[in-house]
Structure formats: C-alpha cells, structure tokens
Amino acid sequence: MLQRPPPKSARDDLPTGLKAPDGITAVEWLVARDAVPYEDAVSTMMARTDAIAAGHASELAWLLEHPALYTAGTSAKAEQLIDARFPVYSSGRGGQFTYHGPGQRVAYVMLDLRRRSPDIRRFVASLEEWLIRTLDHFNVRGERREDQVGVWVRRRDKGRDHEDKIAAIGIRVRRSVTLHGVSLNVDPDLAHFSGIVPCGIAEPRRGVTSLLDLGLPATMLEVDAVLRREFEPLFGDTV
C-alpha cells in the first residue's frame, strides 16, 4: 500500500547540526539517576548558562526525570490548565503547557550559539532531527509538523488522519546560550497529560503517545545510549 509522504515542514529545508568548530571543548554529558525537582533544575541551568557565557564552563547536555508537574511556557493560556493535579510552574521557555514526570526523558541542552550558529530555527530543527534519529532506532517514524514544534507519530490504528505527539521541544536563549530543551515520552503515565491542553493542541485527531504506548518498551538506559549516539553527529563530541 502506498503511503502519503509526510507533510513538509519549513524546517525540513534548514540544515541540521550545530557542531562547534575544531578545538572547542566537548559537550559535558550528564545523566541524573534520581528525579530532579523542577526549581532545582532551573536554578542549575541558569547558573550553568551564565558560566558558559562567561567562558568559565563547558557546554552541557543534562538528562533527567522530574517528579510529576506541569510547566507553563511563555505562550501558555490560563484556560489550558484543566486540572492542576500536580504542581504548576511558570517557565521562561517558549511554548505552552506541558507535563513532565517519571518515565519521560527530559534533556536540557546548554550550547553556546556564538561558537556554533545564531540561527534559532536551525537549532530547533537540529533538536527535532536528534529526536527523529533516536526514534528511528526503536522503529518509530517520527515526523515534523509545520504548525507545531516537536515530533509526531502517525496513528492509523486510531484513524486515517490521527497523529500523536511523542516528543516536545521548548527552549530559551540567554546571553546567546541555550537552555531548556526536549522531552521524550518513554513510558510515562499518559493520563497525566489530561490535566492540561498539551502544547495548546485540542484537536480530537491529535493526542500524546510514548514508546510503551506504541508497543515498544524500552529502558531509560537504552534510550539514553541512543540519545548520546545520535547527539554527537549533530552537535559534537560528548564527555
């Protein structure tokens, strides 16, 4: 059976990858084994980006999980918070409401765009490409969408035009250094997303999914290994 090609995104035309010039220190790769409170993560990111901007610290990719919570991006609307069953935090990142919690891999990426490329759209496209390549390892075809930042999966088992979001992106740039990043649903409780309008998307044909929901159970260690492997061709060596 012939399949329709995925809708083309303007970001498909952007070059992806933001490798630093030769001689730049490798990106520190840090994985938190215990859940990190959101406020602690934000304060750590702010301090680290200041240090990176001042030339006192290396760039950082920080992988972690949060306790169950909701965050509101700079475009969030009050009516999109349906049931505040978990703590709600205002966030300086772009985007609207999202959920973070156990079973979701969050990756905060702190890169110095002065040494790479100041093109924010290219940076976002590179984050999407990172996630798409990671999902491909697990036999999941992730796709971009012109009207939404993030990565989507077609769900023909739910209807011909149905699609679910499996990974979200929300970033901020401070002193030319990126902070916040991406979240990939590995095996979170998807019912927790019902307390919000995720990413402002209320269309019946669009929902939220995870690797487990797609019938592809994976451990966080397996996901982390693939994320690191696919990060390096796009952003450079890690240490």
Side-chain angles (χ1 to χ4, degrees), residues 113-208:
L113 298 185
R114 295 171 301 182
R115 299 185 290 178
R116 295 172 177 269
S117 167
D119 189 337
I120 304 301
R121 293 176 67 247
R122 180 179 176 184
F123 175 60
V124 171
S126 298
L127 292 176
E128 289 174 331
E129 182 66 19
W130 178 32
L131 292 163
I132 288 169
R133 294 184 185 187
T134 298
L135 289 167
D136 184 65
H137 175 85
F138 296 99
N139 297 313
V140 175
R141 182 182 180 182
E143 299 176 359
R144 296 180 175 91
R145 290 294 178 264
E146 174 61 26
D147 61 338
Q148 289 287 333
V149 172
V151 179
W152 295 82
V153 176
R154 292 171 182 264
R155 298 298 303 272
R156 290 188 173 84
D157 55 315
K158 295 183 176 181
R160 189 170 68 92
D161 295 322
H162 193 97
E163 57 188 9
D164 287 340
K165 195 168 194 176
I166 194 169
I169 296 174
I171 67 163
R172 178 182 173 187
V173 178
R174 183 169 181 263
R175 299 179 63 187
S176 297
V177 179
T178 65
L179 62 162
H180 299 281
V182 308
S183 58
L184 173 62
N185 296 331
V186 180
D187 61 354
D189 186 339
L190 296 180
H192 291 177
F193 284 89
S194 64
I196 57 172
V197 178
C199 303
I201 302 165
E203 300 175 48
R205 70 181 186 89
R206 283 178 160 174
V208 181

Side-chain angles (χ1 to χ4, degrees), residues 5 13 22 34 78 99 101 128 142 183 202 224 229:
D13 296 325
D22 292 340
D34 297 318
Y99 165 78
E128 289 174 331
S183 58
D224 289 349
R229 187 189 72 190

Side-chain angles (χ1 to χ4, degrees), residues 5-160:
K8 190 173 180 61
S9 166
R11 294 184 297 281
D12 289 334
D13 296 325
L14 289 171
T16 55
L18 290 173
K19 279 193 173 182
D22 292 340
I24 297 298
T25 304
V27 178
E28 181 180 359
W29 187 268
L30 181 63
V31 181
R33 294 305 176 195
D34 297 318
V36 179
Y38 187 74
E39 291 173 315
D40 292 351
V42 171
S43 63
T44 298
M45 278 194 290
M46 296 291 279
R48 184 61 173 251
T49 54
D50 283 344
I52 293 169
H56 298 154
S58 62
E59 298 171 308
L60 173 65
W62 185 21
L63 277 62
L64 53 84
E65 290 175 89
H66 285 305
L69 57 90
Y70 298 128
T71 66
T74 54
S75 300
K77 300 176 183 178
E79 61 269 23
Q80 294 168 347
L81 179 61
I82 300 168
D83 178 11
R85 67 184 76 172
F86 305 118
V88 181
Y89 296 92
S90 295
S91 171
R93 62 163 175 80
Q96 302 184 54
F97 275 102
T98 195
Y99 165 78
H100 294 312
Q104 183 190 71
R105 176 51 85 213
V106 174
Y108 291 135
V109 181
M110 287 152 265
L111 301 181
D112 189 345
L113 298 185
R114 295 171 301 182
R115 299 185 290 178
R116 295 172 177 269
S117 167
D119 189 337
I120 304 301
R121 293 176 67 247
R122 180 179 176 184
F123 175 60
V124 171
S126 298
L127 292 176
E128 289 174 331
E129 182 66 19
W130 178 32
L131 292 163
I132 288 169
R133 294 184 185 187
T134 298
L135 289 167
D136 184 65
H137 175 85
F138 296 99
N139 297 313
V140 175
R141 182 182 180 182
E143 299 176 359
R144 296 180 175 91
R145 290 294 178 264
E146 174 61 26
D147 61 338
Q148 289 287 333
V149 172
V151 179
W152 295 82
V153 176
R154 292 171 182 264
R155 298 298 303 272
R156 290 188 173 84
D157 55 315
K158 295 183 176 181
R160 189 170 68 92

